[in-house]
Amino acid sequence: MKQLLLILLLPVSITVLLGCSEENIIIGTELNANTHTAPPSAPPYKVGDDIPALAYIEHNETYNAESVIPPQCYTKTNGVNNPCYACHQTDRTDLNRPNQMADGNLQGDYEFSDLGVKNHWKNLFVDRTDLIKGISDKTILDWINQDNYSEFIKKQQANSQWQGEITPIKNLAYPEKAFNSQGFAKDGSGWVAFNYKPFPSTFWPTNGSTGDVMIRLPSAFREVKGVYNQDAYLANLSLVELALKGLETISTPPINEQRVGSDLNSDGKLSIVNHITKQPHYVGDATSPLAYQLYPEGTEFLHTVRYIGVDSNGTIFNAPRMKEVRYMKKHNFKSKQELGTSYYREAKEKSFENLPQTLYLGDQGINNSFGWTINGYIEDTQGELRPQHKQELAFCNGCHKTVGSTYDQTFSFARKVTGKKGWGYIDLKSMTDVPNKGETDGEFLTYMARVGGGDEFRQNQEMLMRWFNEDGQLNTEKVKATPTLYDLITPSPERALALNKAYLSIVKEQSYLFGRDATLVKAHNVLEHVNDSQQPLKPEHRYVWDMQLAWAE
């Protein structure tokens, strides 16, 4: 409250960005937070005003110091509905696991700070029905089919003042042009796309977005004697997967051991192999040792969050236009023991009731204090990608810092289709709903049964109608009979277009500080304020879970 009152005293003019009229969200409308015609005679806000998100940024006032608490954590569990287990885990069976968070106790307990008990994600409680009426299907299709990544890269490259990373991939907006069948970027940039199972359920297309993830290892992992060598690169990528998943052997596309100069399958000879076994060190010019469930230093990830593409036949695909481009780089390798110190420091700060701290690095993004640099870019009012503000970036630490289910603070690579079949651009039609490690039923079937819906908030009506009976129980047999993930988690064309329009209204508002979820109507199963009357999850509805999957090699 003190911070908000400070805004009222600032004698600085800003333009209020948006009302709720339809003309304010039509594509191409000029909405510039930095323009004004004359200075006001009074402060721009008074008590009770609905302050725009960009006003907090312009005046450098913190809107939500607990932005590391994601919107999903405010879901009403009613004692039985548990979406929390996908992030919060305590598994004592693996004593060598570097992730020492052990936060399974947070499943449904609402253990928030005094500031965190208020749900700051106001966009969850906006009914966007009227906001999207003024956007035609043709308008939204024209919008989502534009490439906003290529121009973004050009501007970065032309900006001599830019101190952050630059990650060009030629034709990234059009994956079929950007990557070959094994996922290698055709432009020689070293980025490699992989096929992975989307994390439940924020990243299901039916809940608002499509996306992909690419990995890149440092040049030494791609070269032999200073020369690019795809056999060595593929071997090292496979060894990273083997180390992260704790495997002893893994299938690969054909690798010529003679070109690598290493006996990768331990048979005593150098030949063309389709499997490799765990090695003490990476190969080629890379010399670092493999580390259990940890990436080597210098590993990079690029993650694009896209609109939901809809073609003329109603088929859902990854649209060219990107909502966000997210980047991570492991700038510092930390051993299990060093990571333990980081986890201890986080726990100590929380025990002293300190608010979360985020280390900002200017153009480079943020340091999550676990060895990773994180950066992100998001659409401006005109749809061009821009660097995220430090308040917008702080949101990233909610998932990529201290979450019990992650592998080395990441999600997607641990969920890659294991081995040879997993190299190539993400393809929902190529995957079925396999179980998680240690379980028997499909992961998404299990998730929907535990959550009681097709999303964390239990408000995706299309998923409820498709996969749940009239009594609210999951139709298990129908889900099991679904042939692919595409059939299970993609929306109808009508829902896809509506979700795209809803998100566009957030873009035009630039209200990302209030939430990025493209909800169509006001959320009813989400708490606006947490109090002692909230029923915790019953013990029988809490679960131990591993995000890794039981892929058949």
Side-chain angles (χ1 to χ4, degrees), residues 335-411:
S335 66
K336 178 179 181 291
Q337 291 72 27
E338 291 170 321
L339 288 170
T341 301
S342 295
Y343 282 112
Y344 175 76
R345 182 177 61 250
E346 289 285 318
K348 184 177 179 181
E349 289 178 357
K350 187 172 183 179
S351 70
F352 280 102
E353 300 183 354
N354 293 331
L355 289 172
Q357 300 297 308
T358 300
L359 179 60
Y360 300 104
L361 306 173
D363 288 347
Q364 296 177 46
I366 60 177
N367 182 337
N368 76 347
S369 75
F370 285 78
W372 292 91
T373 300
I374 303 172
N375 216 348
Y377 310 87
I378 203 161
E379 288 180 287
D380 64 15
T381 56
Q382 303 306 310
E384 296 182 4
L385 291 166
R386 63 164 175 82
Q388 292 191 37
H389 184 267
K390 61 183 182 180
Q391 287 196 58
E392 295 165 332
L393 277 175
F395 169 76
C396 304
N397 270 344
C399 293
H400 294 288
K401 197 172 186 180
T402 50
V403 173
S405 67
T406 58
Y407 282 74
D408 202 352
Q409 278 59 54
T410 69
F411 292 85

Side-chain angles (χ1 to χ4, degrees), residues 255-289:
I255 296 177
N256 188 330
E257 292 178 316
Q258 291 184 344
R259 295 198 70 234
V260 178
S262 297
D263 180 9
L264 298 172
N265 65 349
S266 303
D267 67 352
K269 57 184 179 181
L270 299 183
S271 58
I272 296 176
V273 298
N274 296 296
H275 282 79
I276 64 175
T277 56
K278 186 166 68 175
Q279 306 287 310
H281 295 83
Y282 291 100
V283 298
D285 291 350
T287 58
S288 55

